[in-house]
Amino acid sequence: MTDTPEAVGGAVDVVPAGAPTLPVIDVRSGMFGSSGSGDTSGYGGLVRTVEMPAPTARPFGGWFDEVADEMDLALQDDGLSLDAAVEAVVVDRGEVTFHVRAEHLLAFVRRLRDESALRFEICTGVSGAHYPHQTGRELHAVWHFLSITHNRRVRVEVSAPESHPHVPSIVSVYPADDWHERETFDMFGIVFDDHPGLTRILMPDDWVGFPQRKDYPLGGIPVEYKGATIPPPDERRSYSS
Amino acid sequence: MNDVSYEAAFDDGVTADAPDTDAYAGAYDTTEGRVYTVTGGDWDTVLAAADGEKERVVVNMGPQHPSTHGVLRLILEMQGETITEARCAIGYLHTGIEKNLEYRTWTQGVAYVTRMDYLAPIANEAAYCLGVEKLLGIVDDVPPRAQLMRIITLELNRISSHLVALATGGMEMGALTAMTNGFRDRELVLDMLEMITGLRMNHAYIRPGGVAQDMPEGGVEKIRAVLKQLPAQLDGVPTMLVDNGIWKDRTSGIGYLDLAGCMALGITGPVLRSAGLPHDLRKSQPYFGYEKFEFDVPTTDTCDVYGRFLVRLEEINQSMRILDQALDMLEPGPVMVADKKIAWPAQLSIGGDGQGNSLEHIRHIMGESMEALIHHFKLVTEGFHVPAGQVYAAIEAPRGEVGVHIVSDGGTRPYRVHFRDPSFNNLQATAAMCEGGQVADVVGAIASIDPVLGGVDR
Amino acid sequence: MGIEEALPEGIILTTVEKAAGLARSHSMWPATFGLACCSIEMMSTGAGRFDLARFGMEVFRPSPRQADLMIVAGRLSQKMAPVLRQIYDQMPEPKWVLAMGVCASSGGMFNNYAIVQGVDHIVPVDIYLPGCPPRPEMLIDAILKLHAQVQETKLGAHRQKEITALEEAALVAEPTSAMKGLLR
C-alpha cells in the first residue's frame, strides 16, 4: 500500500488523456485458440483482446501530412473538411489509411483523382473484410489507390453494419472498380449503391450466402483414408491463436 | 430389379408432343422477350418460331472452348460479323483460395497462393511474401542472396509466362508453329526452375523470410548456359512473326485501348505499356533489390495487339538481361532470415530415400539443440505470429500489378487475404476492346490481355 | 449395339475385342477440358518435348462430338460442374474420362465450398492421375495405362460375365474405413 504511484511521487499518467482507443476486432479466451474440446493448457481463464493499430494523431510523418492537407483544402471546395469526411487516419507500417465516412466517400475519391497534388489515377480495387466483433461496423470495404504521377499509395476504408450493408459505389469516378465491387458484393454482401450492375461474379448466380464472411463455413468435407477420417480444415483441432 | 421412377426435378421441355427437344436448350420467357437457346441443328425450327420478332443474336463462347486461356465465357451480341456488345462471365474457376488461407498458417499460405495465377506462380508467392514481411517488419532483414534468388526465379517465370502468352496467342490466331516453338523454349526455362525449386509449376519456393532452398551446385553455370542458348532459339518467334504481313494485318489496329482507356480501367502491365506509358513497379516502387539492376521498360505507342506482342517480346530480352546481372551479383550466404522465430527451419536435401531434411539438420535438432527442435516443431505445426495490422504489397507480375491486401489479427493464420490479380482487372477491358470490331478479332484481343483464369477467379 | 453383342463367347468374340481395343486405344482423341494449372502441363504434354502425337493424340478436339477422351485437367468449381456434365453428355460412346491432378480426382488441397471434391461426383472416371500438377511424363503414363485398359475391354457376353464377377467381389471386399493400421 505504501508503494502506489500516488504515494511514491504523485499521480502518474500512464495513459495520457485523450489518447485514441485501439479498435478491438476480437476477444479471445484461453490459450492456443483451442475451443470446444477441453482446454488442457491450463490457461483456460485467459482473456485477451485483439486490437488493430490505433488511429494516429498529427503529424503523420513523411508525405502523409501533405496528402492530408491537400485533401483538406480540396474538400473545403465541397463544403467539407478532412475531419468531417474522415473518421480516423491510421499510419502503420509505412502506409496511410483514411477511414472515410460512407456518405462522403464519393466526394473524397473524386478529389483523390482530380486534384493535381493528389492525382491517384489508378484504383487497384476494393477488398472486403468482415469483423464480426465490431458491432455496428462489421463489414469493411477497403480501396487502394496508386498515383503514378507522385508514385505513392493510399488506402481508403469504409465501414458498414451488417444490418444495413450499403456503401456508395465509386464506379462513376473509377470505372476500374466495376468487377471488384461485384466480387466484394458476392463474397461479403456489401451492396454498392448506384453500381451499374451489381450481380454475383464468382459464385453461381443463384448461390445463397456470402462465402467470405466469418460466419460462413469453409464448406469442406471429411476425407476418409484407410482406417481413419480426417475432418475438414475448419473443424479440425487447431492451435492457432 | 427394383423399378425406380423419379419425379422430374426440372422441366427439360421433353414431352410426348415434343420428344426431340434438347434437354439443354429450349425457349423461355424473360423481361426482354422470348429467348431461344440453340445448340445446333435446330436453327430452322427456331427461326420459324421466332418469326416476326426483333432478332438479337447472342453467341456464347465458352466456358469450354479451344482458346487456351481457361474457362472464360464470352457473351457476344452480334450484328452479322460485328460485335455490338461483349461481356465476360467469369467465376468458373473460383476456388475459394482467399477463404482457405484463413485456415492455414502463413507459410502454408504460399502453397495456396502459388496456384492462383498458375502461369506466374512465383509472382503470386512474391507478392504474398512481400506483404507478410511488411507486416512482420523484416523487409530489410531478408538476406541478399535470398533476394537475388527471388529475382532470378521471378525473371525466369516472367520469361516462361510471356512465352506462353506468345505461344497461345499465336496458336489462337492460327500461327500453330508459334505454339510448338514457344513451348519448346519454355521447357528450357522450366528445366531451370525445376533445378532451383524442384517443381515445374506451382513451386512453393518464396517463403516469408527468404526462399525455401538455395541454388544447387552447378546451378549458376547451367542457367548461364541456358541464357546463351535461349536468344538464338527465341529468335524463331520474332523472325516468324515480327514484320510478317499476315500477322501484322491480323493484329494491328485491333484490341485498341489508348492511355485514357487504360487509366479509366486501371489497366497495368504490357497492355498499359503498349499505350506508351512506361509504368513498371520494378522501376517506380522497387522491391527485392530491383533498384540495383539495369534494365529498360519497353513500350510501344500503337495501343493494339501488335504493340502488346512487341512489348512482351522485348520484356523477355530485358528479363534475360536482369538474369545475367543477378547471376553476377550472387554471393555466398544464407537464404532465410536470421530470426529463428520466423525462419523456415527445414534444410532439405536429397537422401537415399528421396527428399527430406538433411542429415546434419536432423543430427542438430535431435542431438545437439533442444531449442532448435522446439523451434522446428512449433514453426512447422503452429507457424509464426504476425503482429496485427493491414498492409498492401504489390509487385510487377508478367500480366500487370498483382497486389495483395493482408489483414493480420496477431495470430499464426491470416485474418483476411485479398489478391488484386492483374488479369481480373484487365479483363474488364474486353468490352472496350471488342465492341464494334469483328468476331475474329475478339480472340486476338483477349490473347493480348493474356488473362489467366486461375488468377481471375481465385 | 453391334456385332459384338450378338456374338457368343469364344474365340471370335475375343478377336473382335482385340481389334476393337486396338482401334480405340491407338487413336484416342482428347477433348480440351483444361481448367487450371494441370491444363498447362497437358499443353506441355502435347507440345514438342513430351510428344502426344506419337500416340496419335495431339489433335485436341474442341468439339466434344469428335472426342473420345475427356482429360479433366484442373480444379472443378461448383459453377463449372453443369458445363462438365453437358460436355460429357455431348461426347458419343465410346468415351473415357481421365481425372488429371488431385483436384480433379478428389478436390485436392481445396477442401472447401467452391470446389467439387472429385469429378467422379459428376462424371464416371476411368483413370485417376494424382499430382499437383502431374508431370507430363506422369500424364503419358496414365494415358498409356488407359490405353492398356481399353485394349483389354471386354465386349458383349464377356463383359456381362466380367460385371457379374466384379460385383460379387465388391460385395465381399473390405470397406476402406475398416482397413485399420495403414495410416502412417
Side-chain angles (χ1 to χ4, degrees), chain B residues 232-289:
Chain B
Q233 246 177 273
L234 279 178
D235 227 17
V237 170
T239 329
M240 192 169 55
L241 293 176
V242 172
D243 283 335
N244 177 329
I246 304 177
W247 183 252
K248 269 185 109 157
D249 275 340
R250 256 327 298 258
T251 55
S252 297
I254 64 163
Y256 187 81
L257 192 70
D258 63 355
L259 188 58
C262 287
M263 285 288 122
L265 288 166
I267 308 282
T268 49
V271 182
L272 180 61
R273 280 175 237 131
S274 77
L277 186 68
H279 171 67
D280 189 326
L281 283 175
R282 295 175 291 171
K283 286 280 191 196
S284 60
Q285 301 184 345
Y287 45 90
F288 300 161

XYZ file of all heavy atoms in Angstrom, chain B residues 232-289:
430
model
N 19.202 -17.372 -79.276
C 19.211 -17.908 -80.635
C 17.941 -18.683 -80.902
O 17.347 -18.597 -81.980
C 20.428 -18.813 -80.816
N 17.494 -19.430 -79.895
C 16.291 -20.222 -80.096
C 15.059 -19.343 -80.141
O 14.151 -19.566 -80.936
C 16.150 -21.219 -78.938
C 16.287 -22.636 -79.403
C 16.218 -23.600 -78.265
O 17.211 -23.906 -77.627
N 15.032 -24.089 -78.013
N 15.021 -18.347 -79.259
C 13.863 -17.462 -79.214
C 13.728 -16.674 -80.500
O 12.660 -16.195 -80.829
C 13.990 -16.476 -78.057
C 13.598 -17.007 -76.696
C 13.836 -15.918 -75.674
C 12.157 -17.415 -76.675
N 14.812 -16.560 -81.231
C 14.769 -15.780 -82.450
C 13.765 -16.341 -83.430
O 13.332 -15.653 -84.340
C 16.159 -15.764 -83.080
C 16.540 -14.361 -83.471
O 15.882 -13.431 -82.959
O 17.459 -14.189 -84.264
N 13.393 -17.612 -83.234
C 12.438 -18.221 -84.145
C 11.136 -17.470 -84.202
O 10.626 -17.147 -85.273
N 10.583 -17.143 -83.006
C 9.280 -16.475 -82.983
C 9.350 -15.076 -83.593
O 8.539 -14.741 -84.459
C 8.728 -16.444 -81.542
C 7.517 -15.560 -81.456
C 8.384 -17.837 -81.082
N 10.308 -14.237 -83.202
C 10.354 -12.918 -83.845
C 10.561 -12.998 -85.341
O 9.898 -12.307 -86.107
C 11.528 -12.221 -83.168
C 11.673 -12.885 -81.868
C 11.274 -14.296 -82.097
N 11.488 -13.851 -85.764
C 11.734 -13.919 -87.203
C 10.470 -14.307 -87.933
O 10.210 -13.868 -89.048
C 12.813 -14.977 -87.511
O 13.706 -15.049 -86.439
C 13.563 -14.632 -88.779
N 9.669 -15.127 -87.263
C 8.484 -15.631 -87.938
C 7.370 -14.605 -87.956
O 6.633 -14.507 -88.927
C 8.016 -16.884 -87.180
C 6.999 -17.682 -87.896
S 6.754 -19.268 -87.099
C 6.377 -18.791 -85.444
N 7.242 -13.853 -86.846
C 6.029 -13.062 -86.706
C 6.243 -11.552 -86.818
O 5.382 -10.857 -87.319
C 5.370 -13.373 -85.360
C 4.821 -14.801 -85.229
C 4.281 -15.018 -83.835
C 3.741 -15.057 -86.236
N 7.376 -11.057 -86.329
C 7.572 -9.614 -86.409
C 7.738 -9.218 -87.869
O 8.468 -9.844 -88.622
C 8.824 -9.202 -85.603
C 9.138 -7.743 -85.835
C 8.618 -9.449 -84.133
N 7.025 -8.192 -88.309
C 7.061 -7.737 -89.700
C 6.550 -8.780 -90.675
O 6.808 -8.698 -91.866
C 8.487 -7.327 -90.121
C 8.841 -5.962 -89.551
O 7.902 -5.183 -89.277
O 10.026 -5.685 -89.366
N 5.812 -9.753 -90.154
C 5.148 -10.711 -91.031
C 3.838 -10.075 -91.463
O 3.030 -9.675 -90.652
C 4.909 -11.998 -90.221
C 4.161 -13.043 -90.996
O 3.345 -12.738 -91.858
N 4.442 -14.290 -90.690
N 3.638 -9.987 -92.794
C 2.478 -9.259 -93.298
C 1.169 -9.778 -92.760
O 0.289 -9.018 -92.345
N 1.014 -11.114 -92.768
C -0.259 -11.673 -92.307
C -0.457 -11.394 -90.841
O -1.523 -10.973 -90.390
C -0.290 -13.193 -92.553
C -0.034 -13.493 -94.022
C -1.616 -13.770 -92.102
C 0.019 -14.961 -94.325
N 0.598 -11.581 -90.049
C 0.489 -11.367 -88.617
C 0.182 -9.917 -88.312
O -0.676 -9.599 -87.492
C 1.804 -11.798 -87.949
C 1.808 -11.692 -86.462
C 2.481 -10.786 -85.716
C 1.098 -12.524 -85.552
N 2.238 -10.993 -84.382
C 1.395 -12.056 -84.261
C 0.247 -13.617 -85.689
C 0.874 -12.644 -83.117
C -0.267 -14.197 -84.536
C 0.044 -13.708 -83.274
N 0.857 -9.025 -89.030
C 0.616 -7.598 -88.791
C -0.804 -7.225 -89.173
O -1.475 -6.485 -88.471
C 1.598 -6.736 -89.598
C 2.875 -6.403 -88.865
C 3.712 -5.469 -89.681
C 3.734 -4.079 -89.048
N 4.927 -3.342 -89.483
N -1.300 -7.767 -90.271
C -2.674 -7.455 -90.657
C -3.657 -7.963 -89.640
O -4.652 -7.321 -89.336
C -2.975 -8.103 -92.024
C -2.528 -7.214 -93.168
O -2.360 -6.001 -92.930
O -2.358 -7.736 -94.279
N -3.370 -9.125 -89.116
C -4.292 -9.724 -88.145
C -4.287 -8.992 -86.813
O -5.260 -8.972 -86.093
C -3.871 -11.139 -87.833
C -4.448 -12.421 -88.297
C -5.741 -12.811 -88.608
N -6.771 -12.782 -87.614
C -7.243 -13.831 -86.944
N -6.716 -15.010 -87.116
N -8.237 -13.706 -86.103
N -3.147 -8.429 -86.459
C -3.036 -7.898 -85.095
C -2.941 -6.380 -85.023
O -3.071 -5.832 -83.938
C -1.788 -8.480 -84.391
O -0.638 -8.219 -85.187
C -1.944 -9.960 -84.167
N -2.699 -5.680 -86.120
C -2.581 -4.224 -86.000
C -3.951 -3.597 -85.960
O -4.834 -3.981 -86.716
C -1.811 -3.654 -87.180
O -0.524 -4.151 -87.186
N -4.082 -2.624 -85.117
C -5.317 -1.851 -85.065
C -6.461 -2.539 -84.355
O -7.519 -1.959 -84.188
N -6.272 -3.775 -83.902
C -7.381 -4.414 -83.190
C -7.089 -4.431 -81.695
O -5.964 -4.275 -81.266
C -7.651 -5.849 -83.682
C -6.460 -6.751 -83.389
C -7.980 -5.872 -85.134
C -6.853 -8.189 -83.466
N -8.125 -4.598 -80.919
C -7.965 -4.566 -79.471
C -7.462 -3.225 -79.008
O -6.665 -3.135 -78.088
N -7.964 -2.158 -79.596
C -7.414 -0.832 -79.334
C -7.857 -0.320 -77.979
O -9.034 -0.310 -77.662
C -7.883 0.125 -80.434
C -7.231 1.479 -80.359
C -5.950 1.679 -80.881
C -7.882 2.550 -79.760
C -5.344 2.918 -80.804
C -7.284 3.784 -79.689
C -6.014 3.970 -80.204
O -5.415 5.194 -80.119
N -6.898 0.079 -77.152
C -7.226 0.692 -75.858
C -6.163 1.731 -75.565
O -5.043 1.396 -75.205
C -7.249 -0.376 -74.760
C -7.855 0.096 -73.439
C -9.344 0.306 -73.598
C -7.585 -0.925 -72.350
N -6.500 2.998 -75.699
C -5.488 4.036 -75.543
C -5.265 4.350 -74.076
O -5.849 3.734 -73.187
C -5.874 5.280 -76.329
C -7.181 5.884 -75.792
O -7.800 5.280 -74.897
O -7.571 6.946 -76.283
N -4.401 5.319 -73.827
C -3.973 5.592 -72.457
C -5.139 5.998 -71.571
O -5.244 5.578 -70.414
C -2.899 6.693 -72.472
C -2.216 6.951 -71.127
C -1.571 5.689 -70.610
C -1.186 8.039 -71.257
N -6.052 6.826 -72.112
C -7.202 7.244 -71.296
C -8.024 6.031 -70.887
O -8.473 5.910 -69.741
C -8.055 8.237 -72.078
N -8.225 5.123 -71.840
C -8.966 3.920 -71.509
C -8.253 3.078 -70.464
O -8.867 2.538 -69.548
N -6.952 2.952 -70.610
C -6.187 2.161 -69.641
C -6.279 2.770 -68.252
O -6.443 2.067 -67.254
C -4.718 2.090 -70.046
S -4.389 1.036 -71.455
N -6.180 4.091 -68.154
C -6.243 4.744 -66.852
C -7.627 4.581 -66.240
O -7.779 4.313 -65.048
C -5.928 6.231 -67.000
C -4.474 6.513 -67.210
S -3.557 6.251 -65.696
C -2.415 5.043 -66.234
N -8.660 4.727 -67.083
C -10.013 4.600 -66.544
C -10.258 3.203 -66.017
O -10.908 3.018 -64.989
C -11.032 4.933 -67.619
N -9.714 2.200 -66.702
C -9.981 0.827 -66.309
C -8.918 0.275 -65.381
O -8.939 -0.897 -65.054
C -10.086 -0.047 -67.567
C -11.355 0.213 -68.360
C -11.250 -0.409 -69.732
C -12.556 -0.362 -67.638
N -7.940 1.109 -64.994
C -6.942 0.642 -64.040
C -6.054 -0.445 -64.604
O -5.595 -1.333 -63.878
N -5.804 -0.406 -65.879
C -5.009 -1.454 -66.530
C -3.533 -1.237 -66.225
O -3.045 -0.116 -66.257
C -5.208 -1.394 -68.058
C -6.677 -1.402 -68.397
C -4.488 -2.521 -68.752
C -7.329 -2.724 -68.322
N -2.854 -2.328 -65.916
C -1.406 -2.259 -65.728
C -0.783 -3.386 -66.545
O -1.477 -4.256 -67.034
C -1.018 -2.458 -64.249
O -1.699 -3.602 -63.762
C -1.395 -1.262 -63.418
N 0.528 -3.361 -66.672
C 1.185 -4.444 -67.377
C 1.434 -4.126 -68.842
O 1.402 -2.970 -69.256
N 1.689 -5.157 -69.663
C 2.007 -4.918 -71.077
C 0.915 -4.143 -71.813
O 1.222 -3.396 -72.747
C 2.148 -6.333 -71.654
C 2.497 -7.184 -70.502
C 1.822 -6.585 -69.321
N -0.344 -4.268 -71.404
C -1.393 -3.517 -72.091
C -1.176 -2.031 -71.881
O -1.285 -1.229 -72.818
C -2.785 -3.945 -71.574
C -3.873 -3.218 -72.310
C -2.961 -5.438 -71.716
N -0.831 -1.629 -70.650
C -0.579 -0.206 -70.383
C 0.676 0.249 -71.100
O 0.749 1.364 -71.622
C -0.447 0.008 -68.870
C -0.175 1.430 -68.396
C -1.309 2.334 -68.808
C -0.013 1.458 -66.893
N 1.680 -0.649 -71.132
C 2.924 -0.242 -71.786
C 2.771 -0.165 -73.298
O 3.521 0.545 -73.954
C 4.057 -1.194 -71.391
C 4.589 -0.817 -70.032
C 5.620 -1.790 -69.528
N 5.169 -2.302 -68.253
C 5.132 -3.571 -67.924
N 5.566 -4.473 -68.766
N 4.695 -3.918 -66.754
N 1.798 -0.879 -73.843
C 1.583 -0.740 -75.282
C 0.878 0.562 -75.607
O 0.800 0.939 -76.782
C 0.750 -1.905 -75.820
O -0.601 -1.721 -75.501
N 0.333 1.243 -74.590
C -0.279 2.547 -74.823
C 0.716 3.672 -74.630
O 0.348 4.845 -74.687
C -1.458 2.743 -73.866
N 1.966 3.340 -74.383
C 3.018 4.343 -74.347
C 3.501 4.730 -72.974
O 4.498 5.433 -72.853
N 2.842 4.273 -71.888
C 3.254 4.715 -70.554
C 4.243 3.716 -69.969
O 3.904 2.562 -69.761
C 2.030 4.823 -69.646
C 2.308 5.403 -68.261
C 2.678 6.860 -68.382
C 1.079 5.263 -67.378
N 5.491 4.128 -69.677
C 6.487 3.176 -69.162
C 6.355 2.930 -67.665
O 7.285 3.157 -66.907
C 7.811 3.868 -69.498
C 7.492 5.318 -69.471
C 6.070 5.462 -69.920
N 5.193 2.483 -67.259
C 4.962 2.268 -65.830
C 5.291 0.826 -65.478
O 4.673 -0.100 -65.998
C 3.499 2.574 -65.506
C 3.097 2.179 -64.119
N 3.599 2.790 -63.001
C 2.270 1.211 -63.672
C 3.079 2.233 -61.931
N 2.272 1.274 -62.297
N 6.274 0.644 -64.607
C 6.682 -0.691 -64.195
C 7.043 -0.606 -62.720
O 7.890 0.203 -62.331
C 7.895 -1.140 -65.025
C 8.254 -2.601 -64.812
O 8.093 -3.110 -63.685
O 8.695 -3.234 -65.773
N 6.397 -1.419 -61.895
C 6.627 -1.319 -60.462
C 8.059 -1.672 -60.084
O 8.538 -1.280 -59.017
C 5.675 -2.252 -59.701
C 4.258 -1.733 -59.583
C 3.393 -2.778 -58.928
C 4.212 -0.465 -58.789
N 8.744 -2.418 -60.953
C 10.133 -2.736 -60.630
C 10.996 -1.481 -60.677
O 12.065 -1.410 -60.068
C 10.674 -3.774 -61.623
C 9.986 -5.101 -61.533
C 10.473 -6.047 -62.608
N 10.047 -5.632 -63.928
C 10.477 -6.193 -65.061
N 11.336 -7.175 -65.023
N 10.035 -5.765 -66.222
N 10.539 -0.486 -61.464
C 11.296 0.761 -61.538
C 10.756 1.793 -60.567
O 11.494 2.493 -59.899
C 11.208 1.345 -62.961
C 12.017 0.637 -63.987
C 13.477 1.048 -63.936
C 14.219 0.534 -65.149
N 15.656 0.568 -64.962
N 9.427 1.901 -60.475
C 8.878 3.007 -59.695
C 8.836 2.694 -58.210
O 9.109 3.568 -57.391
C 7.486 3.367 -60.200
O 6.631 2.263 -60.089
N 8.492 1.476 -57.828
C 8.461 1.120 -56.398
C 9.220 -0.180 -56.218
O 8.620 -1.231 -55.976
C 7.015 0.970 -55.928
C 6.240 2.247 -56.142
C 4.839 2.172 -55.600
O 4.334 1.101 -55.309
N 4.226 3.322 -55.481
N 10.550 -0.140 -56.361
C 11.306 -1.390 -56.417
C 11.243 -2.183 -55.115
O 11.101 -1.638 -54.031
C 12.740 -0.943 -56.689
C 12.770 0.516 -56.668
C 11.398 1.048 -56.460
N 11.324 -3.478 -55.282
C 11.269 -4.412 -54.166
C 12.339 -5.461 -54.420
O 12.831 -5.597 -55.534
C 9.867 -5.063 -54.103
C 9.393 -5.507 -55.457
C 9.656 -6.787 -55.947
C 8.705 -4.623 -56.288
C 9.256 -7.177 -57.199
C 8.302 -5.018 -57.552
C 8.576 -6.286 -57.993
O 8.179 -6.664 -59.244
N 12.714 -6.174 -53.408
C 13.700 -7.264 -53.515
C 15.045 -6.797 -54.066
O 15.859 -7.611 -54.433
C 13.202 -8.402 -54.438
C 11.916 -9.055 -53.995
C 11.172 -9.776 -54.893
C 11.462 -8.950 -52.692
C 10.009 -10.396 -54.510
C 10.294 -9.547 -52.294
C 9.554 -10.272 -53.216
N 15.293 -5.488 -54.155
C 16.586 -5.042 -54.660
C 16.622 -4.764 -56.146
O 17.698 -4.710 -56.730
